[in-house]
């Protein structure tokens, strides 16, 4: 994972330009399949941002988000842009940060009507907590308030569909009101990005500036005047969030321990503070109540990682037999595990990236099985340390 890198994606050029204006010296970065990104730093900081354009729609957004995660292994993915407000809960120019995302077009058509079968993705807890803190501090907006009112940050559900919603009285509007009445905003890309983040184990935040009320006024003069303001507000909050995310990564206890270990090359000690409980940890030496982890190069080589991956295969098979993993998930999980295993055996920087991303995708596949997620955490770290 690149602890100093955040990916920011947008669907529209107007949104892209609003984010780009916040970056210093953006440089082009070409993906091998032709997707273009720009990489720069947030003005006045060391936070790196890889900026990309997905175009409209959940499907396109999912593909580009997946590609960006694979290419950059970012600390987080932020999807930034404009959206329509629902039920007059957010004012024009306000910023809505998704606590969860509805893919609201899921359903089944039956004799007595259309029944909702939505998919839902919750925002990463750490990002939600940090976003709430920044909203309370309320020093992120850098523009003169319009008509004397500063934009506010609101937290709630965002509904993501496949059509432009521009009516309050259509059948679609009534459907959304009936099944998703807690949604604050509506748009067309969040579900795709959330799914890509989920499958790759990458934290995702959806940040939207309110440019219209989804009430028939899209493309009006008022909407055209509010779009750039809403996009700028979303970009301002998103880049501030990106800076703080990177700062937290760099100052996390694990990062500090890693830096201390790298600086002096000695063994790092981890003290066991648990009482009357069992602690499981991969360690070199255990002495009384202290656990000493072997440090330095070669502490956990590719052979060790391959052995751990082979052991993980046994646990995947067990949970599949117990019914915790369905057949499709089990098959996909084994494929990702084999990809990681092959990459670990190659033991170079490129294979390290491949192994890490395969294990992150695997973690997304088994996210509902806590024991497997816990087993994967140290393996993702170990894969990232291969060289």
């Amino acid at each position: 994972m690149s602890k100093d890198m955040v990916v920011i994606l947008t669907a529209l050029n107007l949104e892209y330009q609003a984010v780009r204006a916040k970056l210093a010296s953006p440089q082009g970065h070409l993906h091998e399949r032709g997707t273009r990104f720009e990489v720069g730093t947030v003005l006045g900081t060391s936070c790196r941002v890889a900026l990309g354009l997905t175009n409209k729609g959940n499907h396109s957004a999912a593909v580009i988000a997946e590609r960006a995660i694979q290419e950059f292994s970012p600390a987080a993915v932020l999807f930034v842009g404009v959206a329509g407000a629902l039920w007059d809960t957010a004012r024009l120019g306000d910023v809505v940060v998704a606590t969860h995302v509805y893919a609201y077009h899921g359903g089944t058509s039956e004799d007595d009507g259309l029944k909702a079968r939505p998919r839902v993705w919750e925002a990463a807890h750490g990002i939600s907590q940090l976003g709430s803190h920044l909203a309370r501090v309320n020093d992120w907006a850098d523009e003169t308030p319009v008509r004397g009112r500063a934009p506010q940050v609101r937290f709630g559900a965002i509904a993501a569909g496949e059509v432009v919603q521009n009516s309050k009285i259509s059948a679609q509007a009534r459907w959304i009101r009936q099944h998703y009445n807690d949604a604050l905003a509506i748009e067309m890309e969040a579900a795709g990005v959330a799914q890509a983040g989920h499958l790759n184990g990458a934290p995702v935040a959806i940040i939207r500036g309110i440019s219209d009320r989804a009430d028939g006024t899209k493309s009006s003069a008022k909407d055209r005047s509010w779009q750039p303001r809403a996009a700028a507000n979303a970009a301002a909050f998103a880049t501030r969030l990106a800076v703080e995310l990177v700062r937290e990564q760099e100052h996390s206890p694990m990062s500090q321990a890693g830096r201390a270990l790298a600086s002096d090359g000695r063994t790092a000690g981890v003290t066991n503070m648990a009482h009357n409980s069992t602690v499981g940890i991969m360690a070199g030496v255990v002495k009384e109540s202290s656990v000493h982890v072997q440090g330095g190069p070669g502490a956990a080589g590719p052979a060790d990682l391959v052995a751990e991956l082979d052991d993980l295969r046994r646990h995947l098979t067990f949970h599949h037999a117990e019914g915790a993993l369905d057949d499709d998930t089990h098959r996909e999980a084994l494929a990702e595990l084999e990809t990681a295993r092959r990459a670990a055996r190659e033991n170079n920087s490129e294979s390290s990236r491949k192994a890490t991303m395969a294990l992150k995708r695997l973690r997304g596949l088994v996210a509902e099985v806590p024991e497997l997620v816990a087993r994967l955490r140290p393996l993702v770290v170990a894969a990232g340390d291969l060289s």
Side-chain angles (χ1 to χ4, degrees):
M1 181 180 71
S2 300
K3 292 187 176 182
D4 67 339
M5 166 78 76
V6 172
V7 164
I8 296 182
L9 302 175
T10 72
L12 305 176
N13 272 308
L14 176 142
E15 301 160 342
Y16 186 100
Q17 292 297 339
V19 176
R20 193 176 190 274
K22 301 288 184 183
L23 304 182
S25 305
Q27 302 293 319
H29 180 101
L30 184 62
H31 185 273
E32 62 181 357
R33 297 298 182 186
T35 303
R36 291 184 177 273
F37 298 92
E38 286 190 281
V39 178
T41 57
V42 177
L43 291 168
T45 77
S46 60
C47 170
R48 294 194 301 149
V49 168
L51 176 61
L53 185 71
T54 68
N55 292 316
K56 297 178 183 179
N58 286 297
H59 302 300
S60 175
V63 171
I64 301 303
E66 166 94 4
R67 190 162 287 180
I69 295 168
Q70 294 279 340
E71 186 76 359
F72 298 107
S73 299
V77 177
L78 312 183
F79 200 86
V80 180
V82 300
L86 294 174
W87 338 130
D88 298 325
T89 50
R91 296 178 294 185
L92 296 178
D94 282 353
V95 172
V96 173
V97 178
T99 55
H100 50 291
V101 174
Y102 293 127
Y104 68 82
H105 270 121
T108 177
S109 179
E110 300 182 7
D111 290 344
D112 58 346
L114 184 63
K115 307 296 177 61
R117 287 188 178 178
R119 294 201 64 184
V120 184
W121 296 269
E122 287 194 13
H125 177 68
I127 289 182
S128 292
Q129 290 284 295
L130 180 56
S132 296
H133 171 72
L134 294 179
R136 288 191 296 269
V137 173
N138 199 28
D139 63 352
W140 56 271
D142 57 5
E143 303 248 340
T144 303
V146 178
R147 301 186 183 97
R149 183 183 67 80
Q152 301 297 307
V153 182
R154 302 179 184 275
F155 296 84
I158 286 180
E162 304 300 332
V163 300
V164 176
Q165 182 61 27
N166 192 28
S167 172
K168 286 188 176 296
I169 61 174
S170 66
Q172 177 106 346
R174 292 195 300 270
W175 163 262
I176 294 168
R177 183 61 184 257
Q178 179 182 0
H179 297 285
Y180 309 99
N181 57 65
D182 62 331
L184 300 183
I186 189 165
E187 43 95 296
M188 298 174 61
E189 291 82 28
V193 178
Q195 173 73 344
H198 171 71
L199 292 179
N200 286 277
V204 168
I206 308 297
I207 302 163
R208 293 293 197 172
I210 298 300
S211 62
D212 65 85
R213 299 193 180 283
D215 60 357
T217 59
K218 284 185 184 293
S219 301
S220 67
K222 186 175 184 180
D223 178 49
R224 287 193 296 272
S225 70
W226 273 105
Q227 263 205 349
R229 300 177 195 174
N233 290 343
F237 188 81
T239 50
R240 176 64 187 279
L241 179 62
V243 169
E244 295 302 323
L245 281 169
V246 166
R247 185 172 296 160
E248 284 194 350
Q249 289 285 337
E250 291 176 343
H251 291 84
S252 67
M254 185 173 292
S255 296
Q256 292 172 2
R259 286 196 295 271
L261 182 62
S263 65
D264 63 15
R266 294 178 297 177
T267 299
V270 181
T271 301
N272 174 11
M273 300 298 293
H275 299 282
N276 300 319
S277 60
T278 300
V279 177
I281 187 168
M282 294 176 65
V285 180
V286 180
K287 217 181 222 190
E288 296 178 350
S289 62
S290 295
V291 179
H292 299 278
V293 181
Q294 297 295 336
D304 300 314
L305 180 57
V306 170
E308 292 293 332
L309 294 176
D310 288 340
D311 186 58
L312 181 62
R313 179 189 296 274
R314 182 170 59 83
H315 289 278
L316 286 171
T317 301
F318 170 79
H319 285 287
H320 175 235
E322 290 291 307
L325 297 175
D326 60 36
D327 291 343
D328 289 341
T329 301
H330 182 236
R331 184 172 58 254
E332 292 179 27
L334 289 178
E336 296 295 354
L337 183 62
E338 182 58 29
T339 298
R341 190 178 182 279
R342 288 198 305 268
R345 292 173 67 90
E346 294 173 7
N347 192 26
N348 55 55
S349 58
E350 177 60 21
S351 64
S352 173
R353 187 182 73 84
K354 289 180 180 178
T356 300
M357 296 313 302
L359 291 176
K360 285 184 176 181
R361 290 193 296 271
L362 174 55
R363 186 171 60 187
L365 288 169
V366 302
E368 296 182 3
V369 186
E371 195 234 329
L372 292 175
V373 173
R375 288 183 178 278
L376 274 162
R377 287 194 189 105
L379 300 183
V380 172
V381 175
D385 289 339
L386 292 176
S387 59

